[in-house]
Amino acid sequence: MSVQQVIFISFALLTVFSAIMVVSLRNLFHAALWLVLALLGIASLFALLGASFFAAVQILVYIGAIAILLIFAVMLTRNIMSDEVTQTNRAWGLAVLLVSVIFFIIIGQISSWSGFSQPLSEFTYTGQETILALGKGFVSPSGFALPFETASVLLLAALLGGVYIAMDKGKE
Amino acid sequence: MTISKWLGGLLSNWGVNDSWSTFILYLIGSAVLGTVALLFTLLFIWAERKIIGRLQDRYGPNRVGPWGIFQSVADMVKIFIKEHIIPSGVDPGPYHLAPIIVVASVLMVLAIVPLSTTLLGSDLNVAVLFLLAVGGLGEVGIIMAGWGSNNKYALLSAFRASAQMISYEIPMAIVLLTIVILSGSMSMNDIVLAQDIPFIILLPLGALIFFIASIAENGRAPFDLAEAESELVAGFNIEYSGLKFGMFYVADFLRAFISAVIFSTLFLGGWRGPGAESIPALGIVYLIIKSLLVWFLGVWIRGSLPRYRIDQMMKINWKFLTPLAILLLVVVMLAGKLVESAGSTIQAFTLIGLNLILLAISMWILRKNETRVEIIEVGSRDRPVARPDNILTKNPRGG
């Protein structure tokens, strides 16, 4: 077994295990910390694939910003830290059924795709070219310019909405 | 390089295949780098205490060894043999992991710093992003420490520290973006190679913003709100004792030096200097000299300025540094495109000019809005000062 495989298997197991811990723990703060670990595992999988940009952004955005925000929210929410809250409601059986059906449908669909059993080809880009290619893909009209711009408008709208909600409207 | 070749040859002789031997070599390399950095910290702690002592008219450590140089060794031994107290009610997982994560997040930055032409840990093509991402890991560590300690002072301090770190990451990231625009690359090595003229000359304003933001990111005076003794007792590490406290302490001092290394890599040309291309070992020397200068500036500021209030700290960031950094980014972008064809000399002069104009305008706005506070002078201006003839002299009463 090559070292890549060993690293991949250990990180994949770690990611899956911490993802399970996120949904099964009672203590919300611990769940948030396990979420950090799960996201870190995903970042390392990106790094193993040679997608260093995605690995760095995964850590920067999901751990540096979102997970910290989540932890703040958990810590500042009253009574949410008690362990008495049940984690499931009455619909859990139905949810399990639906999720497993959808899972098998997706797997069935993907496995019939021709690219499924094909091993990944070696990355042809080196160094900065990877990021240049990514950036060009985002902004070139033949690439993903429209979804990219739409997403940025959406984020701007969310930002403005946040400012509006936080604004002190009491002073007339 | 030759050592790594020799070791690689040795491993392949033992029948280790190639991918494993690369893995083992990287493991050894990171272990060496981490250990050396941690050992250097002992010296930095001593030097910083000594310098701050001199700045505050004291002798500083002066008992163990010549000029007290072994003080930190003695402190280290003391910390090792101290009783390890775990307060009741801590959250064991976060409590025990936090110091390790904090130290690791500091050490991980070293992996991307090019030490000389040939010697660098990893030429990551997204090193600039990695730098910011690792800072985020440090925040997680601090929050874990604050939460796990089961102490309201620790928690408040962790809130403060992480709010500060998240806020000051923004101007830092924007200045890093301008550097990426100038050098055309996100890899640290390319950034160093692009600095035929050091970026501190091209981007004096950017360097200033980055320096202030990195002091705040390190949580040192005048931004050491997270350990304001008068308000929060001792900060997020209040419930830690013995070795775990030592790890926070080491992380603090090491971070100060590593951010100086990053600053000199980004703005002062890193390992570049006369003769550094042909003799790689000189590169390390240049890098260390430049970093020590920046580090000394940080210590100097730490020893001289009083602490900001939390609202002032937030104002400096959100109302001054961030808008200024965004403005700088836009200006550099536009200027870079407009005079792109004019040749590198004119480009450099435009950049310097624009930077200085921006700096002057922002200073003028600050001056206009400043409110003067009357300070009543207490006592007289003449005061007795301890004046050692030579800062390194030993005298019988110590020092």
Side-chain angles (χ1 to χ4, degrees):
Chain A
M1 205 154 39
S2 81
V3 67
Q4 287 244 333
Q5 283 167 329
V6 173
I7 294 176
F8 171 76
I9 288 170
S10 43
F11 276 112
L13 284 179
L14 182 77
T15 311
V16 172
F17 176 71
S18 33
I20 291 171
M21 291 302 268
V22 173
V23 288
S24 62
L25 278 179
R26 288 275 168 104
N27 187 329
L28 268 180
F29 183 75
H30 285 180
L33 290 180
W34 279 108
L35 179 66
V36 170
L37 198 60
L39 294 170
L40 205 62
I42 292 171
S44 52
L45 295 186
F46 274 132
L48 276 179
L49 285 173
S52 48
F53 182 79
F54 283 114
V57 166
Q58 172 86 15
I59 298 178
L60 184 63
V61 173
Y62 281 93
I63 296 176
I66 292 180
I68 291 197
L69 210 67
L70 210 67
I71 291 173
F72 269 106
V74 168
M75 286 203 274
L76 294 176
T77 315
R78 192 180 299 228
N79 284 341
I80 209 165
M81 296 306 301
S82 58
D83 292 349
E84 281 108 56
V85 195
T86 52
Q87 286 164 301
T88 52
N89 60 12
R90 281 177 301 157
W92 70 273
L94 191 63
V96 166
L97 193 70
L98 274 178
V99 164
S100 39
V101 166
I102 292 172
F103 178 74
F104 282 111
I105 291 174
I106 291 176
I107 289 294
Q109 286 300 312
I110 290 181
S111 58
S112 63
W113 173 49
S114 62
F116 184 70
S117 52
Q118 194 180 327
L120 286 175
S121 54
E122 197 70 34
F123 226 37
T124 47
Y125 297 114
T126 51
Q128 292 299 307
E129 288 171 22
T130 329
I131 301 155
L132 284 179
L134 186 75
K136 277 179 187 150
F138 272 141
V139 292
S140 77
S142 58
F144 296 92
L146 189 63
F148 183 65
E149 292 301 326
T150 318
S152 43
V153 170
L154 187 70
L155 287 177
L156 183 67
L159 199 69
L160 289 179
V163 171
Y164 180 73
I165 291 170
M167 214 157 47
D168 193 4
K169 291 184 285 281
K171 289 177 198 145
E172 296 284 305
Chain B
M1 277 290 115
T2 42
I3 296 176
S4 80
K5 260 192 203 127
W6 173 74
L7 265 178
L10 193 70
L11 284 172
S12 62
N13 276 346
W14 286 348
V16 185
N17 70 12
D18 270 358
S19 62
W20 277 102
S21 77
T22 334
F23 179 69
I24 293 170
L25 283 181
Y26 271 115
L27 218 59
I28 294 173
S30 48
V32 167
L33 202 61
T35 316
V36 168
L38 286 175
L39 285 178
F40 260 100
T41 316
L42 285 180
L43 266 183
F44 287 128
I45 292 175
W46 167 76
E48 185 153 348
R49 288 176 64 183
K50 200 80 181 166
I51 293 168
I52 289 205
R54 288 304 187 203
L55 288 170
Q56 297 171 343
D57 291 343
R58 300 182 277 118
Y59 283 118
N62 58 14
R63 293 288 150 181
V64 192
W67 316 305
I69 197 165
F70 296 126
Q71 184 65 52
S72 6
V73 179
D75 285 349
M76 187 182 74
V77 172
K78 188 191 89 173
I79 270 176
F80 274 137
I81 58 179
K82 266 204 143 180
E83 185 190 355
H84 185 203
I85 302 163
I86 301 171
S88 64
V90 298
D91 199 348
Y95 178 82
H96 294 298
L97 271 180
I100 301 169
I101 290 181
V102 171
V103 172
S105 78
V106 175
L107 281 178
M108 270 165 85
V109 177
L110 265 187
I112 53 163
V113 177
L115 295 174
S116 76
T117 36
T118 51
L119 188 63
L120 76 169
S122 152
D123 192 11
L124 211 58
N125 57 0
V126 285
V128 167
L129 283 176
F130 180 83
L131 196 65
L132 293 167
V134 167
L137 284 186
E139 282 157 31
V140 175
I142 285 173
I143 291 181
M144 280 163 81
W147 171 263
S149 301
N150 190 26
N151 178 316
K152 60 187 172 206
Y153 292 115
L155 189 59
L156 272 178
S157 163
F159 276 152
R160 275 190 181 191
S162 46
Q164 181 177 337
M165 286 169 89
I166 291 174
S167 312
Y168 277 86
E169 234 168 46
I170 291 162
M172 208 171 193
I174 297 171
V175 171
L176 283 175
L177 267 183
T178 58
I179 292 177
V180 170
I181 288 176
L182 280 188
S183 63
S185 169
M186 283 208 261
S187 131
M188 283 299 223
N189 206 25
D190 292 353
I191 289 176
V192 170
L193 289 175
Q195 294 185 58
D196 293 326
I197 311 164
F199 284 158
I200 193 169
I201 298 175
L202 293 181
L203 280 177
L205 185 59
L208 185 70
I209 295 172
F210 190 87
F211 186 63
I212 297 174
S214 71
I215 291 179
E217 192 88 340
N218 297 342
R220 318 210 97 199
F223 297 101
D224 55 347
L225 296 136
E227 41 194 283
E229 298 89 349
S230 44
E231 304 152 28
L232 289 172
V233 194
F236 54 85
N237 51 18
I238 177 173
E239 292 289 359
Y240 286 88
S241 60
L243 199 55
K244 293 217 171 86
F245 171 76
M247 286 174 86
F248 279 118
Y249 195 70
V250 161
D252 185 32
F253 280 84
L254 189 60
R255 203 189 286 133
F257 183 69
I258 287 183
S259 69
V261 173
I262 294 291
F263 183 88
S264 37
T265 309
L266 291 175
F267 287 102
L268 301 178
W271 48 261
R272 295 184 68 150
E277 266 94 356
S278 46
I279 313 163
L282 262 182
I284 303 179
V285 176
Y286 286 133
L287 181 65
I288 288 178
I289 290 173
K290 286 170 182 171
S291 315
L292 280 178
L293 279 175
V294 178
W295 171 82
F296 176 73
L297 201 61
V299 176
W300 192 358
I301 290 172
R302 183 182 175 212
S304 340
L305 289 181
R307 181 183 299 137
Y308 286 117
R309 283 198 317 266
I310 187 142
D311 60 319
Q312 291 171 327
M313 185 267 284
M314 284 296 171
K315 263 185 198 161
I316 292 171
N317 180 39
W318 292 108
K319 297 189 174 170
F320 182 63
L321 291 182
T322 308
L324 201 57
I326 293 175
L327 207 61
L328 181 70
L329 174 68
V330 174
V331 163
V332 167
M333 233 153 54
L334 291 180
K337 273 293 156 205
L338 283 180
V339 294
E340 200 178 22
S341 52
S344 58
T345 331
I346 296 178
Q347 217 173 339
F349 275 112
T350 343
L351 273 177
I352 301 167
L354 285 172
N355 262 278
L356 293 180
I357 291 170
L358 265 185
L359 185 65
I361 293 175
S362 55
M363 281 299 149
W364 178 71
I365 293 174
L366 278 189
R367 194 57 48 81
K368 227 178 100 189
N369 293 331
E370 109 185 311
T371 43
R372 287 216 166 271
V373 183
E374 276 306 315
I375 298 167
I376 304 154
E377 208 159 292
V378 183
S380 73
R381 281 205 168 236
D382 311 309
R383 57 205 173 89
V385 178
R387 267 204 205 85
D389 312 321
N390 172 351
I391 51 161
L392 296 177
T393 7
K394 253 181 98 160
N395 78 20
R397 282 169 293 133

